Amino acid sequence: MKGRRVSGRDTVASETIRDRPLNVDDCMLLSVDRALRRLGFPGFETQTLIWLARRVSVPDLRKALASLVQEFPTMTSRLLEPPQAARPCWRLRPGRDCTFTQTELISSNTECVLSHASRLLSTLCDPTENDPIRFHLLSRPNGKDVFVVHFNHALMDHNQVLGVLRSIDRYFGTDTAPPPPATSTDLVRGYLRRFSRQRKRAAIRVANQWRRLLRGGSVTLGKELGQNSGEKVLALAVRQLNAEQTAALEKSLHRIGGMPSLSMAMLGSAFRVIQRLVGNSANGKHFCTGIGVELGVNRAKGVGLQNLTSMVPVKISPEYLADPDEVTRILAGEIRNRLATEMDLGIVAGSALLNRWPWQANWFVEILLRYAVSLWYGYFGSMDSVGERFCGAAVEQIFSVGPAWAPAGLTLLVNKFHGCLHFQATYLPASVPEPLLQQFLDGLLDELIQRSA
């Protein structure tokens, strides 16, 4: 395939450069990014892929991205860490274009698109040397484009990607002037100040919970990689339930979990399939993952890109996995109990505390990634709010893919679009071989279809 880079003025505007400190939760996610890169894996990166029905005007797209940078200057920043700065922050670089590449693919099929996207996702992107958000336009021979938003999770959460896409679409083909950048504030720190006593109690509960999670380790589908395992190359696989299957599944599962989200039902089925595949060779004593929880922080208009979620752990033992409906109820109860005890406050309070001791934070996060995560998981609900069209082209589908690392070896992201559930797996073939990954996806969808009957 032929690639050509389209970006990058090297001149910096004469205006004063100001840094944007990372907020409390950003810093914890930065520790995850550091730990992954220290273990030899690509950083804590996520992609959102928008599949379009025709070509996009590249000049108009570049103009829209230039307006977006004016609205969100953090997009072209570089990460500074001590001793270069008193605390971690984004060093703004006024006048720079955001990273944007255009590639002409040699095939129009889905596998070719996913292969290219996985190569991008496998490339180490240190935020001290690369923009924390990057854009790629993949042009297919059939006259259609795929637009890729590639971002570091320490900058923002997936929920904010849809807002970024809507902003690009609003600027596309118009002379709409972007608003001036707002003064950045640490919204999470302000949020924590409102809960001084609860915050301390929640932090203690969180510390005790992590101790219990680490005891005995988590069951994983993947295997640990040796020091000389070579390049950590990621691969992608996608599946889909059609609208009829999705509607039947929603009707069946909403009454079981007692929650409007399908997340716990799909997570429970994923755990059940992993257990069937690993059998007696299970390398841990329980199943665990983190669930993203919105902190309820009010987003002031123009506040900029920040990550405003906390990752609350849920855990279940293998002996409770026999009945899929019971698994759903247990996991739904787990997440409700976590929120009732304000564990989300404890997560961000603990992050604030660990920020004072970066070495301990890095060690703690590395231990969690290696021993307390069965798979990295996210259910993003409906993504229909992106709209029917993007940059003048009809949107055929949209979904996201995330990072993966050993020994978990697998990330499962799920979202709904146009009435269909989309399942995306990122995996390390060296840890989870491709045939095993296909067995996992086959088993997961088979179980969900059976549950919708």
Side-chain angles (χ1 to χ4, degrees):
M1 62 183 61
K2 298 176 292 182
R4 57 182 184 273
R5 190 173 185 84
V6 189
S7 86
R9 290 194 303 264
D10 292 326
T11 58
V12 178
S14 59
E15 62 185 274
T16 302
I17 296 178
R18 295 176 296 173
D19 297 339
R20 202 213 81 180
L22 275 70
N23 67 40
V24 167
D25 210 33
D26 286 343
C27 290
M28 186 63 177
L29 294 169
L30 175 61
S31 295
V32 176
D33 185 77
R34 285 197 208 101
L36 290 177
R37 287 186 280 114
R38 191 166 53 250
L39 291 169
F41 302 106
F44 206 32
E45 304 282 329
T46 301
Q47 292 176 353
T48 297
L49 290 78
I50 306 94
W51 302 65
L52 303 172
R54 66 174 181 83
R55 289 274 193 267
V56 169
S57 167
V58 173
D60 285 341
L61 180 58
R62 294 183 66 189
K63 184 178 177 181
L65 293 176
S67 296
L68 188 70
V69 171
Q70 293 181 53
E71 182 177 358
F72 301 112
T74 315
M75 288 172 42
T76 59
S77 61
R78 292 288 184 272
L79 179 69
L80 288 186
E81 298 186 81
Q84 286 76 24
R87 54 171 292 198
C89 61
W90 297 112
R91 168 58 55 86
L92 303 185
R93 305 190 307 150
R96 301 280 181 154
D97 288 339
C98 63
T99 300
F100 170 61
T101 64
Q102 184 183 5
T103 301
E104 296 177 1
L105 301 179
I106 60 174
S107 172
S108 298
N109 62 35
T110 300
E111 290 72 21
C112 183
V113 175
L114 295 181
S115 176
H116 187 82
S118 67
R119 282 195 291 274
L120 295 174
L121 201 60
S122 300
T123 303
L124 178 65
C125 286
D126 189 330
T128 64
E129 300 175 358
N130 298 273
D131 290 354
I133 180 169
R134 302 170 293 283
F135 303 94
H136 307 276
L137 188 66
L138 311 183
S139 298
R140 304 158 74 190
N142 62 359
K144 299 181 179 183
D145 282 342
V146 178
F147 185 64
V148 182
V149 183
H150 188 142
F151 61 95
N152 190 293
H153 204 43
L155 174 71
M156 64 180 187
D157 187 59
H158 177 270
N159 289 334
Q160 290 181 294
V161 176
L162 299 183
V164 168
L165 291 172
R166 287 193 293 269
S167 292
I168 294 172
D169 188 60
R170 185 174 69 252
Y171 294 132
F172 184 85
T174 72
D175 292 323
T176 302
T183 301
S184 181
T185 57
D186 190 336
L187 297 182
V188 178
R189 194 175 298 276
Y191 169 78
L192 285 174
R193 288 195 186 103
R194 304 201 300 268
F195 304 98
S196 55
R197 291 184 180 180
Q198 299 97 312
R199 168 185 168 187
K200 184 176 181 179
R201 290 196 295 267
I204 294 173
R205 285 192 290 268
V206 167
N208 291 332
Q209 179 63 24
W210 282 124
R211 290 192 191 99
R212 289 192 289 271
L213 290 174
L214 289 170
R215 197 172 298 137
S218 293
V219 178
T220 62
L221 187 63
K223 63 181 181 181
E224 188 82 65
L225 299 181
Q227 291 292 329
N228 300 318
S229 57
E231 188 179 6
K232 311 298 193 302
V233 178
L234 304 176
L236 303 176
V238 299
R239 297 292 180 86
Q240 178 181 315
L241 290 183
N242 63 36
E244 182 179 356
Q245 293 168 329
T246 299
L249 183 66
E250 289 177 327
K251 184 177 180 180
S252 172
L253 296 182
H254 282 167
R255 61 180 173 78
I256 297 170
M259 302 174 72
S261 171
L262 300 179
S263 186
M264 295 301 102
M266 290 186 287
L267 178 60
S269 290
F271 285 162
R272 280 167 47 82
V273 174
I274 291 174
Q275 185 186 42
R276 288 201 299 268
L277 292 174
V278 299
N280 295 329
S281 64
N283 46 8
K285 294 187 176 180
H286 54 256
F287 291 82
C288 177
T289 193
I291 302 298
V293 175
E294 285 286 342
L295 292 175
V297 178
N298 293 324
R299 291 180 173 86
K301 185 177 180 181
V303 76
L305 303 179
Q306 294 188 21
N307 198 316
L308 303 175
T309 62
S310 61
M311 301 305 300
V312 177
V314 295
K315 171 185 173 182
I316 190 169
S317 297
E319 59 263 31
Y320 297 111
L321 295 179
D323 183 343
D325 291 351
E326 184 63 18
V327 175
T328 301
R329 283 188 282 266
I330 291 174
L331 291 176
E334 277 271 301
I335 193 66
R336 280 194 293 264
N337 289 339
R338 298 286 183 266
L339 298 180
T341 56
E342 296 175 321
M343 186 170 279
D344 54 330
L345 290 178
I347 293 289
V348 292
S351 300
L353 187 64
L354 286 173
N355 290 339
R356 301 178 186 177
W357 300 292
W359 185 88
Q360 289 91 335
N362 293 340
W363 172 84
F364 174 70
V365 169
E366 184 173 320
I367 293 295
L368 291 180
L369 293 176
R370 294 178 62 185
Y371 301 112
V373 180
S374 295
L375 79 161
W376 195 246
Y377 169 79
Y379 175 60
F380 299 138
S382 174
M383 297 177 71
D384 287 333
S385 64
V386 73
E388 294 294 321
R389 302 183 70 81
F390 176 76
C391 294
V395 179
E396 294 184 333
Q397 61 178 325
I398 176 172
F399 58 71
S400 296
V401 295
W405 60 89
L410 169 65
T411 290
L412 176 66
L413 301 185
V414 187
N415 66 269
K416 184 179 176 183
F417 185 67
H418 284 175
C420 300
L421 277 176
H422 297 265
F423 298 77
Q424 294 78 237
T426 307
Y427 64 105
L428 279 159
S431 177
V432 180
E434 193 269 341
L436 183 60
L437 185 279
Q438 296 300 337
Q439 290 180 57
F440 169 79
L441 290 177
D442 289 342
L444 177 62
L445 268 68
D446 286 347
E447 172 158 312
L448 293 175
I449 291 171
Q450 290 175 16
R451 297 184 70 179
S452 68

